[in-house]
Amino acid sequence: MIRLGSLAGYPFEGPRLLGGWTPPASAAVYAICYKPEPDTKPDRYAVIYVGHSEDLSAERFPFQHPRAHCWVRRAGSKWKVYICTYEVPGGGPGHREQITRELAAIYQPRCNTERYDQSWKDEWIGEYTSAPNTGPLARRGPGTPRPPPPPGGEPRDG
């Protein structure tokens, strides 16, 4: 098992050598990887493609997939290409697509044609400014003095 994604990540099965792998007839998110430094860091993988499928057995694995030529070129040989799969528990196509986009934004895999940005833009949700009637939040611990009362206000009870 390998964890891919942000924070704790998603528990992917693998990595398994793609050559000789028989894909199951199941829905999953998948990541294609290779070892960029196999001699010095044999347990480190680089993600070069992410995708999702309703049926992995229909994806034309191992090497008839439309992007397989890119995987082999990046890895240096078809015997250096690995696959990791994640069958999303209770996840539908939209959930698999969301995970795929998240992974593409994090890893920026070279063999994916679509690019995703992992940052928010102000025009998507609007720029945040503090409401005029609120102050910054601060936690008090033992020995921390009480903050002064707001101008023209009653002392705060805390």
Side-chain angles (χ1 to χ4, degrees):
M1 182 187 74
I2 187 171
R3 290 196 170 272
L4 299 174
S6 58
L7 300 175
Y10 302 101
F12 278 71
E13 293 295 322
R16 293 185 180 101
L17 191 61
L18 183 59
W21 178 70
T22 302
S26 58
V29 175
Y30 59 93
I32 303 297
C33 309
Y34 80 108
K35 295 180 180 185
E37 302 172 60
D39 297 328
T40 57
K41 297 179 182 176
D43 294 332
R44 186 168 174 236
Y45 293 86
V47 176
I48 55 176
Y49 184 83
V50 293
H52 66 94
S53 177
E54 189 67 33
D55 180 357
L56 288 173
S57 66
E59 288 294 308
R60 298 172 36 205
F61 290 123
F63 300 109
Q64 296 303 310
H65 187 281
R67 301 299 296 160
H69 68 281
C70 183
W71 310 339
V72 173
R73 188 175 67 245
R74 291 287 298 164
S77 162
K78 68 180 183 179
W79 302 112
K80 295 179 181 179
V81 178
Y82 296 83
I83 188 166
C84 307
T85 59
Y86 177 50
E87 294 181 20
V88 182
H95 194 184
R96 288 191 300 275
E97 167 122 8
Q98 180 268 326
I99 293 170
T100 301
R101 285 177 184 232
E102 177 187 338
L103 295 174
I106 292 168
Y107 297 110
Q108 297 292 311
R110 300 267 178 134
C111 293
N112 280 75
T113 54
E114 299 87 16
R115 298 284 179 238
Y116 298 99
D117 189 10
Q118 59 181 332
S119 64
W120 286 101
K121 295 187 178 174
D122 289 339
E123 63 267 19
W124 294 347
I125 57 174
E127 185 177 354
Y128 177 79
T129 55
S130 297
N133 60 344
T134 63
L137 296 177
R139 297 199 180 266
R140 288 196 324 223
T144 304
R146 290 180 178 264
E154 296 292 320
R156 295 182 185 169
D157 187 24

